[in-house]
């Protein structure tokens, strides 16, 4: 199949829909009733049941590997296979110092050369487009600028693309733990838990992300009631090196990521902490109210913990055909879905 390459296109993914941040209206873990827990446990048992078909699906997507996880999250374009990844995953370097805001008079200046993940969007064709930047993926220094002036409750900041703003968003071409060939290396991952078998995951669901300055940030209690705090990560560990394997990623960290089973290894004359990321079991989520079959998700194993991302409709078409699933989407033809998956392997 045609290789996926970056294309600059207008698309706005609010609140990290592609990025994988689990800001949802689901219940909290403590608020889950016994009947809800019983229902979810039943769904979990159902989805974890191993069959010949489920083994084949897991095996085929495992061959795709973490390096193509972004592509597994991709949707079709007009019922056709896309030739580019969703622009919300793209990474850029600002050509000059740029004022960003969340609307209103308050602004924060991001320095020239700042590396960002973002994309353009247009709310009204009569007015200039904007460029939205995901705050959780800014460098920690730039996050500090944003939090100090604009607060720590907003996931997006933006600036206007018009004649008065000379900023150019140049594709970030340096390959790092954060970005590879102008695309976010690892999408934000939601923690997998019992309520992940519902379409709407639990509120304050932990997630993991990588910043522009190559820190692995793990958020567990960033939301209290209706208050969100993106400066409140429970762990932040510097990534010294990333190895992109055929199937897996291997991160070498400056210190342990507690609770993830990192392994201490000697690198040269010093020690680092090895963390492996790999793909796991595909499972389905269900409507929170009527239990109608919903989106397919894929488990992403980060060390000893499990996370997930939602699969795109092309992967869903492939899975639905393999399972002979009457509820599955038919975003593209079965032949195109198979061609797409095989082309990623």
């Amino acid at each position: 199949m045609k290789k996926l390459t970056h294309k600059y296109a207008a698309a706005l993914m609010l609140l990290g829909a592609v990025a994988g941040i689990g800001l949802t209206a689901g219940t909290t873990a403590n608020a889950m009733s016994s009947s809800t827990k019983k229902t979810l446990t039943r769904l979990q048992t159902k989805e974890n049941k191993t069959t010949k078909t489920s083994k084949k699906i897991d095996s085929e997507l495992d061959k795709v590997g973490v390096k193509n996880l972004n592509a597994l999250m991709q949707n079709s374009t007009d019922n056709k296979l896309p030739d580019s990844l969703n622009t919300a995953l793209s990474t850029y370097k600002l050509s000059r110092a740029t004022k960003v805001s969340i609307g209103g008079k308050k602004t924060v200046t991001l320095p020239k050369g700042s590396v960002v993940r973002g994309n353009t969007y247009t709310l009204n064709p009569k007015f200039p487009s904007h460029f939205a930047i995901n705050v959780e993926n800014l460098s920690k220094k730039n996050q500090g600028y944003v939090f100090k002036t604009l607060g720590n409750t907003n996931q997006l900041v933006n600036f206007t693309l018009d004649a008065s703003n000379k900023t150019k968003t140049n594709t970030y071409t340096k390959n790092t733990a954060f970005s590879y060939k102008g695309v976010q290396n690892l999408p934000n991952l939601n923690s997998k838990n019992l309520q992940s078998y519902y379409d709407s995951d639990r509120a304050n669901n932990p997630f993991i992300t990588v910043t522009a300055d190559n820190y692995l940030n793990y958020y567990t209690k960033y939301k209290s009631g209706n208050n969100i705090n993106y400066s409140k990560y429970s762990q932040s560990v510097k990534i010294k090196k990333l190895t992109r394997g055929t199937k897996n990623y291997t991160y070498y960290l400056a210190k342990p990521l507690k609770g993830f089973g990192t392994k201490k290894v000697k690198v040269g004359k010093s020690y680092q902490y090895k963390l492996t990321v790999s793909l796991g079991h595909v499972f389905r989520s269900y409507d929170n109210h009527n239990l109608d079959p919903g989106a397919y998700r894929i488990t992403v194993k980060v060390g000893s913990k499990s996370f997930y991302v939602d699969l795109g409709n092309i992967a869903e078409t492939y899975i639905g055909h393999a399972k002979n699933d009457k509820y599955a989407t038919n975003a593209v033809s079965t032949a195109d879905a198979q061609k797409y998956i095989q082309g990623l392997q």
Side-chain angles (χ1 to χ4, degrees):
M1 66 173 284
K2 185 175 180 180
K3 270 196 170 182
L4 291 174
T5 56
H6 165 69
K7 279 189 178 179
Y8 191 73
L12 177 64
M13 304 304 292
L14 291 174
L15 296 180
V18 166
I21 292 185
L23 295 182
T24 65
T27 62
T28 63
N30 293 334
M32 185 182 294
S33 67
S34 58
S35 61
T36 297
K37 187 174 182 179
K38 184 177 180 180
T39 297
L40 286 168
T41 301
R42 177 171 57 82
L43 293 175
Q44 181 186 52
T45 301
K46 175 183 176 181
E47 289 301 315
N48 285 347
K49 185 178 179 180
T50 302
T51 65
K52 185 177 180 180
T53 301
S54 71
K55 282 184 176 180
K56 180 182 177 182
I57 292 170
D58 289 350
S59 175
E60 289 300 305
L61 295 191
D62 184 54
K63 292 176 186 176
V64 169
V66 179
K67 67 179 181 179
N68 284 319
L69 179 57
N70 288 329
L72 289 177
M73 298 164 63
Q74 179 69 50
N75 288 322
S76 61
T77 304
D78 298 325
N79 298 111
K80 296 179 182 178
L81 294 180
D83 59 4
S84 63
L85 286 173
N86 191 300
T87 54
L89 298 165
S90 299
T91 57
Y92 301 91
K93 195 172 185 179
L94 302 183
S95 67
R96 57 186 289 150
T98 303
K99 290 182 179 180
V100 299
S101 73
I102 55 175
K105 295 182 178 179
K106 287 186 178 181
T107 63
V108 169
T109 299
L110 298 182
K112 175 182 177 180
S114 292
V115 177
V116 303
R117 176 174 74 86
N119 58 302
T120 58
Y121 68 98
T122 303
L123 295 176
N124 188 326
K126 295 181 179 179
F127 297 98
S129 296
H130 288 71
F131 188 88
I133 295 170
N134 287 69
V135 174
E136 81 277 6
N137 296 125
L138 287 172
S139 69
K140 292 175 76 173
K141 188 174 183 179
N142 280 343
Q143 283 181 355
Y145 296 148
V146 171
F147 296 150
K148 183 177 180 180
T149 304
L150 303 180
N152 50 24
T153 63
N154 298 285
Q155 193 183 355
L156 298 175
V157 295
N158 68 83
F159 61 89
T160 306
L161 296 167
D162 57 17
S164 64
N165 191 332
K166 305 299 182 182
T167 297
K168 293 182 180 179
T169 50
N170 301 313
T171 299
Y172 182 56
T173 56
K174 186 176 180 181
N175 294 332
T176 66
F178 171 62
S179 177
Y180 184 77
K181 294 185 177 180
V183 178
Q184 187 181 10
N185 230 327
L186 184 73
N188 295 358
L189 306 176
N190 294 297
S191 178
K192 185 179 177 183
N193 57 80
L194 192 59
Q195 196 164 315
S196 300
Y197 294 89
Y198 271 166
D199 283 338
S200 294
D201 211 329
R202 66 188 175 103
N204 199 27
N205 191 31
F207 72 94
I208 198 165
T209 190
V210 177
T211 64
D213 52 346
N214 304 314
Y215 277 86
L216 195 64
N217 283 355
Y218 181 42
Y219 290 80
T220 57
K221 296 179 180 178
Y222 56 96
K223 187 176 181 183
S224 176
N226 293 322
N227 298 317
I228 299 169
N229 185 345
Y230 284 113
S231 67
K232 193 176 182 180
Y233 34 74
S234 62
Q235 294 188 68
S236 181
V237 179
K238 181 71 174 180
I239 302 169
K240 305 293 287 186
K241 179 184 175 183
L242 165 63
T243 300
R244 289 169 51 95
T246 303
K247 293 184 179 180
N248 305 334
Y249 279 177
T250 302
Y251 290 94
Y252 293 87
L253 310 176
K255 62 180 183 180
L257 195 60
K258 296 178 182 178
F260 283 74
T262 50
K263 183 179 179 181
K264 187 176 182 180
V265 294
K266 193 167 186 179
V267 180
K269 295 182 179 180
S270 62
Y271 287 93
Q272 294 174 8
Y273 296 84
K274 185 177 176 181
L275 179 70
T276 301
V277 179
S278 60
L279 298 184
H281 182 58
V282 172
F283 65 101
R284 192 165 208 168
S285 59
Y286 294 81
D287 185 275
N288 294 50
H289 304 290
N290 57 27
L291 299 185
D292 283 346
Y296 281 105
R297 292 168 169 169
I298 188 167
T299 305
V300 183
K301 295 178 285 187
V302 183
S304 58
K305 289 186 179 294
S306 292
F307 293 79
Y308 76 88
V309 297
D310 287 330
L311 293 170
N313 60 21
I314 305 172
E316 286 203 358
T317 299
Y318 172 81
I319 295 166
H321 172 72
K323 297 182 72 172
N324 195 25
D325 183 356
K326 65 179 181 179
Y327 296 103
T329 181
N330 290 302
V332 294
S333 69
T334 299
D336 277 351
Q338 291 176 332
K339 176 184 175 183
Y340 184 85
I341 298 299
Q342 290 169 359
L344 296 171
Q345 294 175 344

